[in-house]
Amino acid sequence: MQIDIKQPILDKNDGLARELRERFARNHVFVLDLLASPGSGKTSTILATIDALRDEFNIAVIEGDIASSVDAEKIKAQGIPAVQINTGGACHLESAMLKRAVDVLDLERLDLIIVENVGNLVCPTDFDLGENAKVMILSVPEGDDKPLKYPGVFQVAEAVVLNKVDTMPVFNFDREAFEASVKQLNPTAPLFPIAATKGDGVDAWAEWLAARIREIQ
C-alpha cells in the first residue's frame, strides 16, 4: 500500500491560498511571489523595484528565510513595511505562514506585497500562496544551464528576471542558450535582463509589474 502524504499537505495549503487570494482581491492588493536561489539578488531586486514604483504604489514586503532578519531590516531602512518569516529549516513558504504575516499588515493601505520566498529552485514551485504572479530571478553567476536543471520553476513563472547582467563578461554565460531554454519551457514569459544594484534594465521590469498592478485597481 502506498500512502501519499504530499497531496493532503498541498490540499490544505491550497484551500488557505484560495482564501488569501479572495482577501487580496477584495482589497485590490497585488501579491508577487519571488522565487530564486540564494545569492541571486532577490533583495537587491526588491529594493530596485521599490525605488521604481514607490511614487505610484504603496508597497510592503514579506521576507521568507530559514533564519535571521537581515533582509527585512534592509527593507525597513528604506521606509517600507516588512514582515519577517523564519521557517526554521523549511525550504519554502506555505500559505499558513503567509497568512500570519499578512495579518499584521493593513491591506486597505497597500497596492503591492512583494514576497521574497526562501532561496530554493525546487520546493516553492508547488506551494500556492494566493499570489497574483510568481516571478523567477536567476543571476548570471549561477550559469545558463539552470532552466535545464530546474525546469519547474521556469515553467510556473509569469516572468523571468536575469540579474547581474553586468557580470556577464566575467562568467562563461551563454545568453542565447539561456533565452532559448526559457522560451522552450515558457513561451509566454517575458525575460528582463537587469543589474539590480546599478539600476540597469529595472525600468522595463518595473513597468511590466506596474501594468499588472493597475489591472486590479
Side-chain angles (χ1 to χ4, degrees):
M1 182 176 67
Q2 182 176 350
I3 300 175
D4 184 355
I5 62 171
K6 181 180 179 181
Q7 197 56 49
I9 293 173
L10 288 177
D11 288 346
K12 182 178 180 180
N13 180 85
D14 291 350
L16 184 52
R18 285 191 293 272
E19 294 178 13
L20 284 170
R21 183 168 284 112
E22 293 170 0
R23 185 175 172 188
F24 297 143
R26 286 195 304 271
N27 288 277
H28 305 283
V29 179
F30 189 95
V31 179
L32 175 67
D33 183 15
L34 284 181
L35 311 179
S37 59
S40 63
K42 291 191 300 298
T43 304
S44 60
T45 299
I46 290 172
L47 290 171
T49 304
I50 288 170
D51 284 343
L53 297 180
R54 66 188 305 161
D55 289 343
E56 181 176 356
F57 304 111
N58 293 320
I59 305 169
V61 175
I62 296 175
E63 288 283 349
D65 288 296
I66 290 176
S68 89
S69 60
V70 173
D71 292 338
E73 295 305 321
K74 292 178 181 178
I75 303 298
K76 290 178 182 178
Q78 302 304 312
I80 298 296
V83 182
Q84 182 70 51
I85 300 175
N86 290 134
T87 66
C91 59
H92 59 272
L93 295 179
E94 299 179 9
S95 56
M97 300 176 188
L98 194 73
K99 181 182 182 303
R100 291 195 292 271
V102 168
D103 284 346
V104 304
L105 295 172
D106 186 354
L107 294 184
E108 293 183 356
R109 295 180 177 271
L110 294 175
D111 304 301
L112 170 65
I113 297 175
I114 302 175
V115 179
E116 181 176 340
N117 216 310
V118 179
N120 191 302
L121 294 182
V122 180
C123 303
T125 61
D126 290 332
F127 286 83
D128 185 1
L129 301 180
E131 74 281 346
N132 295 84
K134 291 184 185 293
V135 169
M136 196 276 171
I137 303 174
L138 183 83
S139 65
V140 166
E142 295 174 74
D144 55 73
D145 59 350
K146 291 303 177 289
L148 302 177
K149 293 183 175 181
Y150 303 96
V153 68
F154 289 90
Q155 289 172 323
V156 303
E158 291 194 25
V160 176
V161 175
L162 178 62
N163 193 22
K164 304 184 183 180
V165 293
D166 54 319
T167 69
M168 205 167 291
V170 181
F171 295 93
N172 185 25
F173 188 94
D174 189 332
R175 184 166 174 175
E176 290 186 4
F178 171 75
E179 291 179 356
S181 297
V182 173
K183 193 71 174 178
Q184 183 177 15
L185 290 168
N186 194 338
T188 62
L191 176 62
F192 298 100
I194 72 169
T197 57
K198 296 182 177 180
D200 298 343
V202 172
D203 286 348
W205 148 248
E207 182 51 41
W208 177 86
L209 179 56
R212 293 295 309 276
I213 298 169
R214 295 182 195 117
E215 288 175 357
I216 68 167
Q217 291 187 327

